[in-house]
């Protein structure tokens, strides 16, 4: 019988996440194709952001979405061997997505708030892309060494017997902010060996259980790198961009900046607003872990309410990685409608002007004709 948490995972981290992920995959592929001929730094950054978002979405669907809908998937040997690889890849995609969003904000900030600096020192988009991707890969390398697939013996009474020391061992539950693996990932295939069966389960490595590693890398650095630093910079940059756009609009549109650049800056504001709203939930488990730093972090018990928050965090992070194309296309269609309306207004004005000129010319001809007849 399912618990409330199991039902919540099925609906939120299963069905909703997979549906959003499919829409996100389609949207990001469309964005990559749409921007393939664009030459603007903004569009280059958006394309690479779409690749990082795709990496996270696909990994998230495989790790969290599908197993919460079809629980038998989590028992398959292929799945167990994929998880220790896909989790670090998902983290690489997430780190790249966070800092490419920040790079887009920086690019829009220099364009809108300091246009002369932007045009005098024209940076290639590679100046943003290469350092970010390199950092995302290097920073997440340790995550490839956090989990392992462990083979153990299942005794005749159903107890797991550790092959190394024949001690009884408990199944492992790995519930971390972005990398939550539940205990139902443990058993999959069995093969009889005398009175025992061999079973595989996902287990933490010695690195993942190291006290300093958990405290410094997983708690402090994760909160700073994925939370505090990008949040502060994004808030500052986007407040500055918003104020500058308002000043430009009040002044009657750009003397030193094109309207296209303002529109791209508005798209950036929308993307960042969604980013902050979605990632704010993800920081709750990090803050909770930070509050428990004084205790033995390897012995902490993950509260049930935090499991609900973690499921919601996975859904919102997937939503954030899925929505950029739809924000851009909405703004693009809105701009096209404004152009059509402006063109229609302009055409109407021209028609009215032609009619007025024709009437004036007709009046002039009538006056000349009357003068001629009176003579």
């Amino acid at each position: 019988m399912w618990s409330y948490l199991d039902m919540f995972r099925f609906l939120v981290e299963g069905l909703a996440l997979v549906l959003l992920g499919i829409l996100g995959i389609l949207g990001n592929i469309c964005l990559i194709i749409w921007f393939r001929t664009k030459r603007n730094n903004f569009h280059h950054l958006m394309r690479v952001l779409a690749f990082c978002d795709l990496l996270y979405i696909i990994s998230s669907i495989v790790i969290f979405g599908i197993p919460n809908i079809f629980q038998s998937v989590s028992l398959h040997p292929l799945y167990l061997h994929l998880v220790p690889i896909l989790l670090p890849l998902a983290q690489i995609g997430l780190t790249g997505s966070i800092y490419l969003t920040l790079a887009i904000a920086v690019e829009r900030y220099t364009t809108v708030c300091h246009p002369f600096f932007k045009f005098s020192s024209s940076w290639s988009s590679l100046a943003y892309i290469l350092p970010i991707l390199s950092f995302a890969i290097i920073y997440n390398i340790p995550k490839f060494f956090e989990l392992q697939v462990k083979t153990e013996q299942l005794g005749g009474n159903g107890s797991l017997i550790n092959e190394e020391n024949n001690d009884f061992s408990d199944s492992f539950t790995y519930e971390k902010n972005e990398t939550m693996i539940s205990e139902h990932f443990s058993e999959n295939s069995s093969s009889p060996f005398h009175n025992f069966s061999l079973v595989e389960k996902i287990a933490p490595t010695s690195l993942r259980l190291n006290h300093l590693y958990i405290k410094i890398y997983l708690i402090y650095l994760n909160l700073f790198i994925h939370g505090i630093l990008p949040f502060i910079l994004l808030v500052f940059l986007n407040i500055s961009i918003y104020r500058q756009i308002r000043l430009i609009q009040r002044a009657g549109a750009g003397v030193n900046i094109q309207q296209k650049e303002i529109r791209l800056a508005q798209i950036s504001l929308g993307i960042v607003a969604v980013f902050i709203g979605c990632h704010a939930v993800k920081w709750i488990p990090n803050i909770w872990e930070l509050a428990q730093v004084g205790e033995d972090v390897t012995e902490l018990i993950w509260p049930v309410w935090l499991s609900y928050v973690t499921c919601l965090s996975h859904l919102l992070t997937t939503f954030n990685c899925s929505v950029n194309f739809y924000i851009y296309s909405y703004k693009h269609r809105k701009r096209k409608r404004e152009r059509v309306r402006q063109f229609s207004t302009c055409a109407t004005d021209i028609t009215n002007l032609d009619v007025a000129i024709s009437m004036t010319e007709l009046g002039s001809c009538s006056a000349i004709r009357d003068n001629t007849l009176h003579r």
Side-chain angles (χ1 to χ4, degrees), residues 352-370:
N352 293 336
L353 181 60
D354 289 340
V355 171
I357 292 173
S358 299
M359 294 297 292
T360 303
E361 291 176 348
L362 183 59
S364 300
C365 292
S366 299
I368 293 171
R369 186 183 60 195
D370 291 342

Side-chain angles (χ1 to χ4, degrees), residues 54-317:
L54 274 175
L55 178 60
Y56 179 83
I57 292 170
I58 294 172
S59 301
S60 185
I61 289 175
V62 174
I63 297 170
F64 303 116
I66 296 177
N68 279 296
I69 299 175
F70 308 103
Q71 293 191 357
S72 60
V73 172
S74 62
L75 308 178
H76 197 279
L78 177 62
Y79 176 79
L80 290 178
H81 287 273
L82 279 177
V83 167
I85 299 173
L86 287 179
L87 278 173
L89 291 178
Q91 290 297 305
I92 290 173
L94 183 62
T95 304
S97 178
I98 290 172
Y99 281 91
L100 282 165
T101 302
L102 181 59
I104 290 171
V106 170
E107 194 272 340
R108 287 296 91 195
Y109 173 78
T110 56
T111 302
V112 174
C113 300
H114 303 285
F116 292 111
F117 171 78
K118 172 69 181 294
F119 294 126
S120 62
S121 54
S122 56
W123 293 350
S124 168
S125 58
L126 292 177
Y128 300 97
I129 295 169
L130 292 180
I132 289 173
L133 294 183
S134 300
F135 171 74
I137 294 171
I138 294 171
Y139 176 76
N140 289 290
I141 284 177
K143 293 190 176 295
F144 284 95
F145 305 97
E146 286 186 0
L147 297 176
Q148 61 184 340
V149 178
K150 196 173 183 180
T151 303
E152 295 190 347
Q153 288 182 347
L154 184 66
N157 60 355
S159 301
L160 281 175
I161 301 177
N162 189 297
E163 287 186 314
E164 296 179 1
N165 53 20
N166 289 334
D167 291 330
F168 292 99
S169 61
D170 298 323
S171 60
F172 172 69
T173 301
Y174 180 75
E175 286 185 332
K176 185 69 177 66
N177 183 24
E178 294 97 3
T179 56
M180 185 178 67
I181 304 174
S182 58
E183 64 273 8
H184 64 262
F185 295 165
S186 38
E187 300 179 4
N188 56 56
S189 60
S190 61
S191 59
F193 179 72
H194 298 294
N195 294 326
F196 300 100
S197 297
L198 295 179
V199 297
E200 290 182 329
K201 67 173 186 176
I202 295 176
T205 62
S206 58
L207 174 67
R208 179 60 182 83
L209 295 175
N210 184 274
H211 182 81
L212 287 177
Y213 177 80
I214 295 173
K215 182 178 290 187
I216 295 174
Y217 181 78
L218 293 181
I219 297 179
Y220 289 140
L221 277 179
N222 188 52
L223 181 61
F224 180 77
I225 296 295
H226 287 162
I228 296 174
L229 179 62
F231 176 79
I232 292 174
L233 291 176
L234 285 171
V235 169
F236 166 76
L237 292 170
N238 283 274
I239 288 176
S240 301
I241 292 170
Y242 177 77
R243 287 178 175 175
Q244 187 65 22
I245 289 176
R246 292 294 299 272
L247 289 175
I248 292 172
Q249 290 175 339
R250 287 174 185 173
V255 176
N256 298 321
I257 189 169
Q258 298 178 2
Q259 288 299 305
K260 177 184 176 182
E261 303 294 348
I262 296 177
R263 179 173 58 85
L264 294 179
Q266 291 171 337
I267 293 172
S268 173
L269 288 175
I271 290 172
V272 171
V274 173
F275 173 90
I276 292 175
C278 292
H279 281 256
V281 177
K282 185 174 67 70
W283 300 331
I284 295 175
N286 296 98
I287 295 172
W288 180 85
E289 288 177 323
L290 187 64
Q292 312 300 320
V293 161
E295 304 179 18
D296 185 359
V297 291
T298 59
E299 300 296 331
L300 288 179
I301 299 175
W302 198 260
V304 175
W305 68 268
L306 213 52
S307 296
Y308 285 97
V309 173
T310 305
C311 291
L312 184 61
S313 166
H314 293 151
L315 176 66
L316 291 177
T317 306

